[in-house]
Amino acid sequence: QVQLVESGGGLVQAGGSLRLSCAASGRTVSSYAMGWFRQAPGKEREIVAAINWNGGNIYYTDSVKGRFTISRDNIKNTVYLQMNSLKPEDTAVYYCAVHSSNSGTYFPFRYFTSWGQGTQVTVSS
């Protein structure tokens, strides 16, 4: 069973930056796609970004394209989310997740089945 621990969240002003980290333990995740999701109050959890096993394929939801960058370090068993030009609407709890398919792809998104506890990101206007 994999354990995921997110860190790096906090309070930032609009236009600022944060870098989230997600460290995996219990087993290696180097063969699996990883993803970042977020859930704002009163809203459903949505995918923000996903990266395949070797970083060769990356997905971003439209609202974060050009502002967020997902990356991974398979030696450190860690995935990152660099968030720049943050907006108040980015405020949410951010979760990382591991895809259950050992094909290394991040489709379909519903197969992200292992989750961290989340880290709060708050962007003030």
Side-chain angles (χ1 to χ4, degrees), residues 1-2 4 27-29 37 41 49 57 64 75 77 81 84 88 94 104 106 108 123-125:
Q1 186 77 4
V2 64
L4 303 172
R27 65 170 172 86
T28 180
V29 295
F37 292 71
N57 286 294
V64 308
I75 295 176
N77 230 20
L81 186 68
N84 298 328
Y94 283 70
Y106 44 73
V123 185
S124 63
S125 57

Side-chain angles (χ1 to χ4, degrees), residues 93-115:
V93 178
Y94 283 70
Y95 301 87
C96 72
V98 179
H99 203 273
S100 60
S101 170
N102 59 10
S103 69
T105 181
Y106 44 73
F107 290 123
F109 293 149
R110 66 180 183 274
Y111 285 5
F112 280 102
T113 55
S114 298
W115 300 88

Side-chain angles (χ1 to χ4, degrees), residues 2-125:
V2 64
Q3 290 82 43
L4 303 172
V5 178
E6 302 96 336
S7 61
L11 173 64
V12 64
Q13 288 188 334
S17 297
L18 285 173
R19 188 193 194 206
L20 305 183
S21 299
C22 173
S25 62
R27 65 170 172 86
T28 180
V29 295
S30 60
S31 299
Y32 296 83
M34 301 286 292
W36 284 98
F37 292 71
R38 66 187 178 186
Q39 187 167 20
K43 295 187 177 181
E44 293 187 354
R45 185 156 51 188
E46 64 171 347
I47 188 161
V48 176
I51 186 168
N52 78 326
W53 71 279
N54 67 354
N57 286 294
I58 289 175
Y59 168 89
Y60 296 104
T61 194
D62 285 346
S63 62
V64 308
K65 285 179 181 177
R67 300 188 299 122
F68 290 11
T69 303
I70 189 172
S71 61
R72 67 188 298 161
D73 184 333
N74 284 342
I75 295 176
K76 295 182 178 179
N77 230 20
T78 300
V79 65
Y80 306 96
L81 186 68
Q82 177 67 42
M83 306 186 294
N84 298 328
S85 302
L86 282 161
K87 303 175 180 181
E89 51 264 43
D90 294 318
T91 295
V93 178
Y94 283 70
Y95 301 87
C96 72
V98 179
H99 203 273
S100 60
S101 170
N102 59 10
S103 69
T105 181
Y106 44 73
F107 290 123
F109 293 149
R110 66 180 183 274
Y111 285 5
F112 280 102
T113 55
S114 298
W115 300 88
Q117 83 290 347
T119 185
Q120 177 71 47
V121 171
T122 303
V123 185
S124 63
S125 57

